Amino acid sequence: SAVISQKPSRDICQRGTSLTIQCQVDSQVTMMFWYRQQPGQSLTLIATANQGSEATYESGFVIDKFPISRPNLTFSTLTVSNMSPEDSSIYLCSVETGGEGYTFGSGTRLTVV
Amino acid sequence: GQNIDQPTEMTATEGAIVQINCTYQTSGFNGLFWYQQHAGEAPTFLSYNVLDGLEEKGRFSSFLSRSKGYSYLLLKELQMKDSASYLCAVRDADSNYQLIWGAGTKLIIKP
């Protein structure tokens, strides 16, 4: 199965600033998924990132707030822009790995103060 | 609409067996996944069911009934390390094959 390196693992940021989260996959994948997970809650899909096209955002998430880059088949970034305390959460990237389902990065724990 | 239900929390004893249920409503069912998530860590894949029946993998088994919109994860010979949240997710072909996630079941193992 694929191995994903996600950075940073955690950060504490000032409100109004932006944070860019990176995910590097050890193999080429068509789609990468970005999730948010509030403490004690389930995963919420933010967007799906395809290489060479704009990301597809789910209801409640917009490109201006969560711009995504997908420059090649092994790498993607998610930026959390103009952060507020409500953006404090765990952010996860994920890729599909065939019969073994989906593999996740180790997550980024974001705290906005 | 889409909906996935699973119990919020369960408690079991070390060495015992526990069954975690998941019921779902989706328009374009394309497979059901179970994931384990330890506190502060990312989810890890446990099982995948797309056809009715039981899939066994070591101490863990997963069952699916598509007609009933029902699945369960069976954990045998429970160990303390099995204390975690267990997430049920359904892939929905009518929603661009995205995964619809349940809220997770927190399993507490007592000695």
Side-chain angles (χ1 to χ4, degrees):
Chain A
S1 61
V3 176
I4 303 176
S5 174
Q6 182 172 345
K7 299 177 182 179
S9 58
R10 59 179 62 227
D11 207 342
I12 301 173
C13 300
Q14 297 289 325
R15 66 178 67 199
T17 63
S18 298
L19 175 72
T20 295
I21 302 167
Q22 300 180 4
C23 278
Q24 178 75 52
V25 190
D26 67 346
S27 58
Q28 294 185 338
V29 293
T30 304
M31 292 192 290
M32 292 182 72
F33 306 91
W34 287 97
Y35 287 93
R36 182 171 72 184
Q37 187 175 29
Q38 305 280 15
Q41 297 188 23
S42 189
L43 283 77
T44 301
L45 182 65
I46 297 172
T48 302
N50 293 323
Q51 192 270 333
S53 63
E54 278 198 8
T56 303
Y57 289 83
E58 298 303 312
S59 176
F61 299 96
V62 295
I63 188 171
D64 290 344
K65 175 67 176 177
F66 297 100
I68 286 172
S69 78
R70 185 79 204 275
N72 56 55
L73 290 172
T74 63
F75 186 79
S76 180
T77 68
L78 169 76
T79 298
V80 186
S81 304
N82 188 24
M83 287 183 286
S84 66
E86 292 71 35
D87 295 320
S88 297
S89 188
I90 297 172
Y91 293 84
L92 295 151
C93 62
S94 176
V95 301
E96 187 175 2
T97 52
E100 293 188 356
Y102 298 76
T103 298
F104 287 83
S106 52
T108 296
R109 184 180 296 271
L110 171 63
T111 303
V112 183
V113 298
Chain B
Q2 305 163 336
N3 193 47
I4 297 182
D5 288 316
Q6 50 182 132
T8 304
E9 186 174 299
M10 298 181 70
T11 302
T13 304
E14 188 178 16
I17 299 173
V18 70
Q19 177 175 311
I20 303 174
N21 296 325
C22 172
T23 58
Y24 64 88
Q25 291 177 314
T26 59
S27 55
F29 178 84
N30 191 256
L32 186 143
F33 300 82
W34 283 97
Y35 280 80
Q36 180 189 62
Q37 187 176 27
H38 285 100
E41 299 181 11
T44 55
F45 172 80
L46 289 178
S47 68
Y48 169 64
N49 294 71
V50 66
L51 299 176
D52 291 350
L54 188 68
E55 294 280 343
E56 297 185 79
K57 189 183 293 186
R59 292 190 299 116
F60 293 2
S61 303
S62 58
F63 172 83
L64 174 67
S65 169
R66 288 172 295 170
S67 63
K68 296 181 179 178
Y70 167 71
S71 173
Y72 66 73
L73 180 69
L74 191 71
L75 293 76
K76 302 176 184 177
E77 301 170 16
L78 287 170
Q79 302 174 9
M80 298 302 293
K81 68 178 182 179
D82 296 330
S83 292
S85 287
Y86 291 85
L87 306 173
C88 173
V90 173
R91 185 160 54 196
D92 187 352
D94 289 351
S95 297
N96 210 23
Y97 292 90
Q98 70 168 266
L99 291 181
I100 312 301
W101 293 85
T105 299
K106 182 178 181 181
L107 179 63
I108 300 168
I109 308 298
K110 295 186 175 181

